[in-house]
Amino acid sequence: MTVQYDIGLSAHIRRHTTLPEPLRFPPGFLWGTATSAHQVEGQNTNNQWWVWEQQGRCWHGDVSGDACGWWRDAEGDLDRAAALGTNAHRMSIEWSRIEPEEGTFDRSAIHRYREIIGGIIQRGMTPMITLHHFTNPLWVEAQGAWLNPATPKRFARFVAYAVEALGDLCNLWCTVNEPTVYAALSYLQGIWPPGRRNILQALRVFANLMRGHELAAQTVHRQHPAHRVGIVHHKRVLDPASPASHDVLTTVMYDYLVNGLVLRRLRETSDFFGLNYYSRDHIAFDLRRPYHLFIRRFTPPHLEQSDAGMEGAFGEIYPNGLYRALKRVYRWLKLPIYVTETGLPDEDDNQRPRFLLNHLESVHRAIQEGIDVRGVFIWSLVDNFEWAEGWGLRFGLYALNERTGERRMRPSAALYAIIARANAIPAPGALP
Ligand code: BGC
C-alpha cells in the first residue's frame, strides 16, 4: 500500500512551523501508534465495560459491539500502520479473553495474540504490549475488582502466563494503563463502571493498581530479566486559575493526587516511564464540588480546545505542556520515557495536523535538552470505542465508519507518515 500525500500538507507545515532546517530525532526513535484491546477488538463480552455498555451508560447508548473488528482482522489496520512508515505499535491484551474464568487460561486467545503481535513484527514494527488497559474479567469484577487486595496477585498470575506465552515476541511491557484515571472515573466521579463515588474506595483502588504494577514488573523481570517494563501515567499539566493562594494550594494538592502519588513510587519498579499527555487544565478551588475534592478544572474560553463538541472536557491544546511534562518526569525519575499516548479528538482533522507538529516539536526540544525520550505513540491509529463517550469522539489517524467498517486516511496520517519516515520534522522547503 502506498501513502498518497495530501496536497495541503506542506501548506500545513509551512503555516504552523517556521523551521529553517529539519528537526532530527535520535537514531532508533520509535514512531508509533497506540490502541487498546477493548477499544478495537470487538465482542469483548466478558469484561465489565461490555456489561456497562449494555446498560446504556455510554453517550447516546453507544456500545463497543464489533468495535474496529480487530479480533477478526487486526491485520488490515496493521497494514495501514506500516504504510505510514511507523516502526512501532502499542496495543493491549485482554485479560478477560486470556483468563475467561479464574485459573482457566484460553490457548486460542493466546494464539490470536501471537498472530497479531507477530503481524506487527512482520511489518517491521516493534510491539509494545500493555497488560491492563481499564478492563477486568467479569470474575475479577465480581470479587470487587481492584478494591479487593487479592486482585494484584491475581493480575500477576495472569501476567506470568501471558508473558510466558508471548515473551519471545515482545520485550517492551506496560503494566497498568493510567491508574489515576481508572480510580478517579470509576470510583470518584462514577462515570465509568462500577459507577461509585467514594474517595476512600478510589484511593484503595489506586493503591492496589500500583501494587499490581509492582507485582507485574517483578513477574516480567523474573521471567525475562532483559525485558523492559514501565507503568503508563496520564500526566495532567496543571496551572492555578489565579495567583490567589486558595487556587495555588488547590493546584499543588491536586497535582500531588494526580501526578505526585504515581511518580513517587516508581523509581525501583520500572525500566521506563510511559507518559500519556493530552492537555493542560486550569485549577480553581470550588466549594460546590465535594465529589471532585472541591476542585474545578477548566479551560479559560480564550484558549484553544478540541472542537469535538465537549467543551472543557479535554482541556486546553497546549503543546508546551508535553515539554513541561517530559522535563518534570525526567528530573524526578531519571528513567527513559516513551510518550505512550498523545492525540486529539478531531473528526474533521482541522486541528490535528497542527497538534501533531507542535507536540512533536515539544518532544524534540526536550530531547535537545538531554531528556531521554525513546519514542512517541499517537492515540490512535484508527477511530475506536472511546469508553464513556462511545463513538462520539474521533481520535484516529484513520477515520472509521463503524457501521460499514470502512476506513479513510486523514491528512494528519499523511503528515505523521512524512515525519516517521524522515525520523525528523522536515523543514517546509523539503516537503513534496
Ligand atoms: C486512554 C485511552 C483513551 C484516550 C483518549 C487515554 O486516557 O488510555 O484509552 O481512549 O485517553 O481519551
Side-chain angles (χ1 to χ4, degrees), residues 36 39 90 133-134 177-178 181 192 232 234 276 278 314 341 379 384-387 389 393 395:
S36 90
Q39 295 179 268
R90 171 176 174 237
H133 197 121
F134 298 151
N177 184 70
E178 300 190 343
V181 172
W192 283 13
V232 171
H234 186 113
N276 289 359
Y278 286 88
F314 281 92
E341 290 179 30
W379 189 271
N384 55 48
F385 186 75
E386 189 47 43
W387 309 114
E389 285 82 29
L393 293 176
F395 277 90

PDB file of all heavy atoms in Angstrom, residues 36 39 90 133-134 177-178 181 192 232 234 276 278 314 341 379 384-387 389 393 395, ligand 1:
ATOM      1  N   SER A  36      -6.030   0.111  22.327  1.00  0.00           N
ATOM      2  CA  SER A  36      -6.198  -0.833  23.438  1.00  0.00           C
ATOM      3  C   SER A  36      -7.234  -1.879  23.049  1.00  0.00           C
ATOM      4  O   SER A  36      -8.111  -1.614  22.211  1.00  0.00           O
ATOM      5  CB  SER A  36      -6.609  -0.124  24.726  1.00  0.00           C
ATOM      6  OG  SER A  36      -8.008  -0.040  24.836  1.00  0.00           O
ATOM      7  N   GLN A  39     -11.066  -1.332  22.984  1.00  0.00           N
ATOM      8  CA  GLN A  39     -11.477  -0.245  22.107  1.00  0.00           C
ATOM      9  C   GLN A  39     -11.452  -0.630  20.629  1.00  0.00           C
ATOM     10  O   GLN A  39     -12.097   0.028  19.817  1.00  0.00           O
ATOM     11  CB  GLN A  39     -10.593   0.981  22.366  1.00  0.00           C
ATOM     12  CG  GLN A  39     -10.794   1.536  23.773  1.00  0.00           C
ATOM     13  CD  GLN A  39      -9.914   2.730  24.072  1.00  0.00           C
ATOM     14  OE1 GLN A  39      -8.815   2.564  24.585  1.00  0.00           O
ATOM     15  NE2 GLN A  39     -10.370   3.934  23.768  1.00  0.00           N
ATOM     16  N   ARG A  90       1.753   0.240  19.900  1.00  0.00           N
ATOM     17  CA  ARG A  90       1.402  -0.128  21.275  1.00  0.00           C
ATOM     18  C   ARG A  90      -0.031  -0.643  21.277  1.00  0.00           C
ATOM     19  O   ARG A  90      -0.941   0.019  20.753  1.00  0.00           O
ATOM     20  CB  ARG A  90       1.520   1.101  22.192  1.00  0.00           C
ATOM     21  CG  ARG A  90       0.981   0.856  23.581  1.00  0.00           C
ATOM     22  CD  ARG A  90       1.182   2.045  24.525  1.00  0.00           C
ATOM     23  NE  ARG A  90       0.502   1.757  25.777  1.00  0.00           N
ATOM     24  CZ  ARG A  90      -0.444   2.516  26.320  1.00  0.00           C
ATOM     25  NH1 ARG A  90      -0.818   3.656  25.742  1.00  0.00           N
ATOM     26  NH2 ARG A  90      -1.018   2.157  27.441  1.00  0.00           N
ATOM     27  N   HIS A 133      -5.430  -2.426  30.484  1.00  0.00           N
ATOM     28  CA  HIS A 133      -5.889  -1.137  29.964  1.00  0.00           C
ATOM     29  C   HIS A 133      -7.384  -1.003  30.280  1.00  0.00           C
ATOM     30  O   HIS A 133      -8.229  -1.211  29.421  1.00  0.00           O
ATOM     31  CB  HIS A 133      -5.610  -1.039  28.460  1.00  0.00           C
ATOM     32  CG  HIS A 133      -5.669   0.364  27.913  1.00  0.00           C
ATOM     33  ND1 HIS A 133      -4.614   0.983  27.293  1.00  0.00           N
ATOM     34  CD2 HIS A 133      -6.661   1.291  27.921  1.00  0.00           C
ATOM     35  CE1 HIS A 133      -4.951   2.200  26.918  1.00  0.00           C
ATOM     36  NE2 HIS A 133      -6.208   2.420  27.288  1.00  0.00           N
ATOM     37  N   PHE A 134      -7.668  -0.738  31.525  1.00  0.00           N
ATOM     38  CA  PHE A 134      -9.002  -0.398  32.054  1.00  0.00           C
ATOM     39  C   PHE A 134      -9.980  -1.563  32.224  1.00  0.00           C
ATOM     40  O   PHE A 134     -10.944  -1.437  32.973  1.00  0.00           O
ATOM     41  CB  PHE A 134      -9.698   0.677  31.211  1.00  0.00           C
ATOM     42  CG  PHE A 134      -8.999   2.008  31.155  1.00  0.00           C
ATOM     43  CD1 PHE A 134      -9.134   2.839  30.036  1.00  0.00           C
ATOM     44  CD2 PHE A 134      -8.206   2.450  32.200  1.00  0.00           C
ATOM     45  CE1 PHE A 134      -8.509   4.080  29.974  1.00  0.00           C
ATOM     46  CE2 PHE A 134      -7.573   3.699  32.153  1.00  0.00           C
ATOM     47  CZ  PHE A 134      -7.723   4.515  31.028  1.00  0.00           C
ATOM     48  N   ASN A 177      -2.277   0.730  32.610  1.00  0.00           N
ATOM     49  CA  ASN A 177      -2.528   2.000  31.944  1.00  0.00           C
ATOM     50  C   ASN A 177      -3.304   2.944  32.851  1.00  0.00           C
ATOM     51  O   ASN A 177      -4.398   2.618  33.307  1.00  0.00           O
ATOM     52  CB  ASN A 177      -3.342   1.764  30.663  1.00  0.00           C
ATOM     53  CG  ASN A 177      -3.566   3.048  29.870  1.00  0.00           C
ATOM     54  OD1 ASN A 177      -2.622   3.593  29.293  1.00  0.00           O
ATOM     55  ND2 ASN A 177      -4.792   3.544  29.863  1.00  0.00           N
ATOM     56  N   GLU A 178      -2.742   4.091  33.119  1.00  0.00           N
ATOM     57  CA  GLU A 178      -3.420   5.215  33.773  1.00  0.00           C
ATOM     58  C   GLU A 178      -4.188   4.846  35.049  1.00  0.00           C
ATOM     59  O   GLU A 178      -5.410   4.992  35.110  1.00  0.00           O
ATOM     60  CB  GLU A 178      -4.381   5.880  32.789  1.00  0.00           C
ATOM     61  CG  GLU A 178      -3.686   6.416  31.559  1.00  0.00           C
ATOM     62  CD  GLU A 178      -4.594   7.292  30.699  1.00  0.00           C
ATOM     63  OE1 GLU A 178      -5.823   7.228  30.865  1.00  0.00           O
ATOM     64  OE2 GLU A 178      -4.069   8.046  29.880  1.00  0.00           O
ATOM     65  N   VAL A 181      -6.532   7.588  36.340  1.00  0.00           N
ATOM     66  CA  VAL A 181      -7.757   7.816  35.557  1.00  0.00           C
ATOM     67  C   VAL A 181      -8.791   6.745  35.897  1.00  0.00           C
ATOM     68  O   VAL A 181      -9.968   7.032  36.156  1.00  0.00           O
ATOM     69  CB  VAL A 181      -7.435   7.809  34.043  1.00  0.00           C
ATOM     70  CG1 VAL A 181      -8.699   7.852  33.210  1.00  0.00           C
ATOM     71  CG2 VAL A 181      -6.520   8.978  33.707  1.00  0.00           C
ATOM     72  N   TRP A 192     -17.549   5.800  35.017  1.00  0.00           N
ATOM     73  CA  TRP A 192     -17.094   4.529  34.450  1.00  0.00           C
ATOM     74  C   TRP A 192     -17.532   3.418  35.400  1.00  0.00           C
ATOM     75  O   TRP A 192     -17.750   3.680  36.601  1.00  0.00           O
ATOM     76  CB  TRP A 192     -15.571   4.506  34.340  1.00  0.00           C
ATOM     77  CG  TRP A 192     -14.998   5.297  33.190  1.00  0.00           C
ATOM     78  CD1 TRP A 192     -15.628   6.211  32.393  1.00  0.00           C
ATOM     79  CD2 TRP A 192     -13.640   5.236  32.722  1.00  0.00           C
ATOM     80  NE1 TRP A 192     -14.746   6.724  31.463  1.00  0.00           N
ATOM     81  CE2 TRP A 192     -13.531   6.142  31.645  1.00  0.00           C
ATOM     82  CE3 TRP A 192     -12.520   4.500  33.114  1.00  0.00           C
ATOM     83  CZ2 TRP A 192     -12.333   6.327  30.937  1.00  0.00           C
ATOM     84  CZ3 TRP A 192     -11.324   4.688  32.420  1.00  0.00           C
ATOM     85  CH2 TRP A 192     -11.242   5.591  31.331  1.00  0.00           C
ATOM     86  N   VAL A 232       2.116   3.205  32.727  1.00  0.00           N
ATOM     87  CA  VAL A 232       1.691   4.308  31.864  1.00  0.00           C
ATOM     88  C   VAL A 232       0.852   5.267  32.697  1.00  0.00           C
ATOM     89  O   VAL A 232      -0.168   4.883  33.270  1.00  0.00           O
ATOM     90  CB  VAL A 232       0.884   3.798  30.657  1.00  0.00           C
ATOM     91  CG1 VAL A 232       0.270   4.970  29.899  1.00  0.00           C
ATOM     92  CG2 VAL A 232       1.794   2.994  29.727  1.00  0.00           C
ATOM     93  N   HIS A 234      -1.164   8.993  33.009  1.00  0.00           N
ATOM     94  CA  HIS A 234      -1.789  10.128  32.327  1.00  0.00           C
ATOM     95  C   HIS A 234      -1.341  11.400  33.048  1.00  0.00           C
ATOM     96  O   HIS A 234      -1.807  11.695  34.136  1.00  0.00           O
ATOM     97  CB  HIS A 234      -3.309   9.969  32.413  1.00  0.00           C
ATOM     98  CG  HIS A 234      -4.067  10.993  31.635  1.00  0.00           C
ATOM     99  ND1 HIS A 234      -4.814  10.667  30.533  1.00  0.00           N
ATOM    100  CD2 HIS A 234      -4.201  12.314  31.806  1.00  0.00           C
ATOM    101  CE1 HIS A 234      -5.377  11.761  30.052  1.00  0.00           C
ATOM    102  NE2 HIS A 234      -5.024  12.771  30.815  1.00  0.00           N
ATOM    103  N   ASN A 276       1.431   9.520  29.082  1.00  0.00           N
ATOM    104  CA  ASN A 276       0.311   9.919  28.234  1.00  0.00           C
ATOM    105  C   ASN A 276       0.040  11.392  28.496  1.00  0.00           C
ATOM    106  O   ASN A 276      -0.153  11.800  29.643  1.00  0.00           O
ATOM    107  CB  ASN A 276      -0.962   9.135  28.586  1.00  0.00           C
ATOM    108  CG  ASN A 276      -0.889   7.675  28.166  1.00  0.00           C
ATOM    109  OD1 ASN A 276       0.115   7.243  27.591  1.00  0.00           O
ATOM    110  ND2 ASN A 276      -1.932   6.931  28.441  1.00  0.00           N
ATOM    111  N   TYR A 278      -2.209  14.769  27.080  1.00  0.00           N
ATOM    112  CA  TYR A 278      -3.241  15.300  26.185  1.00  0.00           C
ATOM    113  C   TYR A 278      -3.395  16.818  26.278  1.00  0.00           C
ATOM    114  O   TYR A 278      -3.516  17.482  25.269  1.00  0.00           O
ATOM    115  CB  TYR A 278      -4.589  14.614  26.458  1.00  0.00           C
ATOM    116  CG  TYR A 278      -4.628  13.195  25.920  1.00  0.00           C
ATOM    117  CD1 TYR A 278      -4.187  12.123  26.689  1.00  0.00           C
ATOM    118  CD2 TYR A 278      -5.070  12.941  24.636  1.00  0.00           C
ATOM    119  CE1 TYR A 278      -4.200  10.827  26.179  1.00  0.00           C
ATOM    120  CE2 TYR A 278      -5.084  11.650  24.116  1.00  0.00           C
ATOM    121  CZ  TYR A 278      -4.650  10.596  24.901  1.00  0.00           C
ATOM    122  OH  TYR A 278      -4.656   9.328  24.386  1.00  0.00           O
ATOM    123  N   PHE A 314     -11.707  18.175  27.477  1.00  0.00           N
ATOM    124  CA  PHE A 314     -10.353  17.725  27.151  1.00  0.00           C
ATOM    125  C   PHE A 314      -9.263  18.679  27.557  1.00  0.00           C
ATOM    126  O   PHE A 314      -8.096  18.403  27.412  1.00  0.00           O
ATOM    127  CB  PHE A 314     -10.247  17.397  25.666  1.00  0.00           C
ATOM    128  CG  PHE A 314     -10.839  16.069  25.416  1.00  0.00           C
ATOM    129  CD1 PHE A 314     -12.159  15.964  25.073  1.00  0.00           C
ATOM    130  CD2 PHE A 314     -10.099  14.925  25.635  1.00  0.00           C
ATOM    131  CE1 PHE A 314     -12.728  14.727  24.926  1.00  0.00           C
ATOM    132  CE2 PHE A 314     -10.659  13.697  25.486  1.00  0.00           C
ATOM    133  CZ  PHE A 314     -11.981  13.594  25.135  1.00  0.00           C
ATOM    134  N   GLU A 341       1.040   7.857  24.737  1.00  0.00           N
ATOM    135  CA  GLU A 341      -0.154   8.372  24.062  1.00  0.00           C
ATOM    136  C   GLU A 341      -0.070   9.883  23.992  1.00  0.00           C
ATOM    137  O   GLU A 341       0.282  10.540  24.973  1.00  0.00           O
ATOM    138  CB  GLU A 341      -1.456   8.053  24.830  1.00  0.00           C
ATOM    139  CG  GLU A 341      -1.854   6.612  24.835  1.00  0.00           C
ATOM    140  CD  GLU A 341      -3.142   6.357  25.638  1.00  0.00           C
ATOM    141  OE1 GLU A 341      -4.014   7.248  25.710  1.00  0.00           O
ATOM    142  OE2 GLU A 341      -3.249   5.256  26.187  1.00  0.00           O
ATOM    143  N   TRP A 379      -2.159   8.452  19.823  1.00  0.00           N
ATOM    144  CA  TRP A 379      -3.501   7.930  20.071  1.00  0.00           C
ATOM    145  C   TRP A 379      -4.424   8.606  19.084  1.00  0.00           C
ATOM    146  O   TRP A 379      -4.635   9.790  19.195  1.00  0.00           O
ATOM    147  CB  TRP A 379      -3.978   8.203  21.513  1.00  0.00           C
ATOM    148  CG  TRP A 379      -5.240   7.461  21.751  1.00  0.00           C
ATOM    149  CD1 TRP A 379      -6.521   7.902  21.505  1.00  0.00           C
ATOM    150  CD2 TRP A 379      -5.352   6.110  22.215  1.00  0.00           C
ATOM    151  NE1 TRP A 379      -7.421   6.906  21.777  1.00  0.00           N
ATOM    152  CE2 TRP A 379      -6.723   5.798  22.221  1.00  0.00           C
ATOM    153  CE3 TRP A 379      -4.422   5.136  22.606  1.00  0.00           C
ATOM    154  CZ2 TRP A 379      -7.207   4.541  22.617  1.00  0.00           C
ATOM    155  CZ3 TRP A 379      -4.897   3.895  22.999  1.00  0.00           C
ATOM    156  CH2 TRP A 379      -6.269   3.613  23.013  1.00  0.00           C
ATOM    157  N   ASN A 384     -11.756   4.663  17.451  1.00  0.00           N
ATOM    158  CA  ASN A 384     -12.164   3.462  18.177  1.00  0.00           C
ATOM    159  C   ASN A 384     -13.148   3.803  19.288  1.00  0.00           C
ATOM    160  O   ASN A 384     -13.514   4.967  19.461  1.00  0.00           O
ATOM    161  CB  ASN A 384     -10.945   2.673  18.677  1.00  0.00           C
ATOM    162  CG  ASN A 384     -10.016   3.532  19.517  1.00  0.00           C
ATOM    163  OD1 ASN A 384     -10.463   4.224  20.413  1.00  0.00           O
ATOM    164  ND2 ASN A 384      -8.718   3.485  19.211  1.00  0.00           N
ATOM    165  N   PHE A 385     -13.567   2.788  20.037  1.00  0.00           N
ATOM    166  CA  PHE A 385     -14.620   2.973  21.040  1.00  0.00           C
ATOM    167  C   PHE A 385     -14.054   3.739  22.230  1.00  0.00           C
ATOM    168  O   PHE A 385     -13.199   3.227  22.952  1.00  0.00           O
ATOM    169  CB  PHE A 385     -15.166   1.604  21.471  1.00  0.00           C
ATOM    170  CG  PHE A 385     -16.339   1.755  22.395  1.00  0.00           C
ATOM    171  CD1 PHE A 385     -17.574   2.138  21.901  1.00  0.00           C
ATOM    172  CD2 PHE A 385     -16.209   1.530  23.757  1.00  0.00           C
ATOM    173  CE1 PHE A 385     -18.661   2.299  22.742  1.00  0.00           C
ATOM    174  CE2 PHE A 385     -17.288   1.680  24.613  1.00  0.00           C
ATOM    175  CZ  PHE A 385     -18.520   2.076  24.096  1.00  0.00           C
ATOM    176  N   GLU A 386     -14.581   4.951  22.428  1.00  0.00           N
ATOM    177  CA  GLU A 386     -13.945   5.895  23.356  1.00  0.00           C
ATOM    178  C   GLU A 386     -14.605   5.851  24.746  1.00  0.00           C
ATOM    179  O   GLU A 386     -15.060   6.855  25.262  1.00  0.00           O
ATOM    180  CB  GLU A 386     -13.994   7.286  22.719  1.00  0.00           C
ATOM    181  CG  GLU A 386     -13.220   8.381  23.407  1.00  0.00           C
ATOM    182  CD  GLU A 386     -11.795   8.040  23.813  1.00  0.00           C
ATOM    183  OE1 GLU A 386     -11.078   7.424  23.019  1.00  0.00           O
ATOM    184  OE2 GLU A 386     -11.426   8.371  24.952  1.00  0.00           O
ATOM    185  N   TRP A 387     -14.707   4.651  25.349  1.00  0.00           N
ATOM    186  CA  TRP A 387     -15.206   4.488  26.715  1.00  0.00           C
ATOM    187  C   TRP A 387     -16.533   5.217  26.903  1.00  0.00           C
ATOM    188  O   TRP A 387     -17.447   5.027  26.111  1.00  0.00           O
ATOM    189  CB  TRP A 387     -14.128   4.920  27.721  1.00  0.00           C
ATOM    190  CG  TRP A 387     -12.793   4.262  27.471  1.00  0.00           C
ATOM    191  CD1 TRP A 387     -11.646   4.870  27.079  1.00  0.00           C
ATOM    192  CD2 TRP A 387     -12.476   2.846  27.558  1.00  0.00           C
ATOM    193  NE1 TRP A 387     -10.642   3.939  26.935  1.00  0.00           N
ATOM    194  CE2 TRP A 387     -11.116   2.706  27.216  1.00  0.00           C
ATOM    195  CE3 TRP A 387     -13.205   1.693  27.887  1.00  0.00           C
ATOM    196  CZ2 TRP A 387     -10.471   1.463  27.197  1.00  0.00           C
ATOM    197  CZ3 TRP A 387     -12.557   0.463  27.865  1.00  0.00           C
ATOM    198  CH2 TRP A 387     -11.223   0.361  27.529  1.00  0.00           C
ATOM    199  N   GLU A 389     -17.578   7.981  26.188  1.00  0.00           N
ATOM    200  CA  GLU A 389     -18.030   8.800  25.056  1.00  0.00           C
ATOM    201  C   GLU A 389     -18.362   7.955  23.833  1.00  0.00           C
ATOM    202  O   GLU A 389     -18.694   8.496  22.771  1.00  0.00           O
ATOM    203  CB  GLU A 389     -16.967   9.856  24.685  1.00  0.00           C
ATOM    204  CG  GLU A 389     -16.892  11.013  25.647  1.00  0.00           C
ATOM    205  CD  GLU A 389     -16.057  10.666  26.881  1.00  0.00           C
ATOM    206  OE1 GLU A 389     -15.141   9.825  26.752  1.00  0.00           O
ATOM    207  OE2 GLU A 389     -16.332  11.197  27.976  1.00  0.00           O
ATOM    208  N   LEU A 393     -16.301  10.403  19.927  1.00  0.00           N
ATOM    209  CA  LEU A 393     -15.047  11.147  19.757  1.00  0.00           C
ATOM    210  C   LEU A 393     -14.121  10.392  18.817  1.00  0.00           C
ATOM    211  O   LEU A 393     -13.978   9.175  18.924  1.00  0.00           O
ATOM    212  CB  LEU A 393     -14.357  11.335  21.107  1.00  0.00           C
ATOM    213  CG  LEU A 393     -15.097  12.241  22.097  1.00  0.00           C
ATOM    214  CD1 LEU A 393     -14.360  12.264  23.426  1.00  0.00           C
ATOM    215  CD2 LEU A 393     -15.267  13.645  21.557  1.00  0.00           C
ATOM    216  N   PHE A 395     -10.446   9.949  17.505  1.00  0.00           N
ATOM    217  CA  PHE A 395      -9.030  10.203  17.731  1.00  0.00           C
ATOM    218  C   PHE A 395      -8.146   9.662  16.599  1.00  0.00           C
ATOM    219  O   PHE A 395      -6.932   9.805  16.660  1.00  0.00           O
ATOM    220  CB  PHE A 395      -8.572   9.526  19.029  1.00  0.00           C
ATOM    221  CG  PHE A 395      -8.850  10.308  20.297  1.00  0.00           C
ATOM    222  CD1 PHE A 395     -10.042  10.146  20.983  1.00  0.00           C
ATOM    223  CD2 PHE A 395      -7.908  11.180  20.816  1.00  0.00           C
ATOM    224  CE1 PHE A 395     -10.285  10.839  22.167  1.00  0.00           C
ATOM    225  CE2 PHE A 395      -8.134  11.881  21.983  1.00  0.00           C
ATOM    226  CZ  PHE A 395      -9.327  11.713  22.666  1.00  0.00           C
TER     227      PHE A 395
HETATM  228  C1  BGC B   1      -6.705   6.252  27.435  1.00  0.00           C
HETATM  229  C2  BGC B   1      -7.306   5.770  26.143  1.00  0.00           C
HETATM  230  C3  BGC B   1      -8.335   6.779  25.677  1.00  0.00           C
HETATM  231  C4  BGC B   1      -7.622   8.091  25.426  1.00  0.00           C
HETATM  232  C5  BGC B   1      -8.468   9.198  24.844  1.00  0.00           C
HETATM  233  C6  BGC B   1      -6.408   7.719  27.489  1.00  0.00           C
HETATM  234  O1  BGC B   1      -6.767   8.220  28.727  1.00  0.00           O
HETATM  235  O2  BGC B   1      -5.586   5.468  27.778  1.00  0.00           O
HETATM  236  O3  BGC B   1      -7.863   4.504  26.343  1.00  0.00           O
HETATM  237  O4  BGC B   1      -9.060   6.360  24.564  1.00  0.00           O
HETATM  238  O5  BGC B   1      -7.097   8.552  26.643  1.00  0.00           O
HETATM  239  O6  BGC B   1      -9.462   9.626  25.709  1.00  0.00           O
END
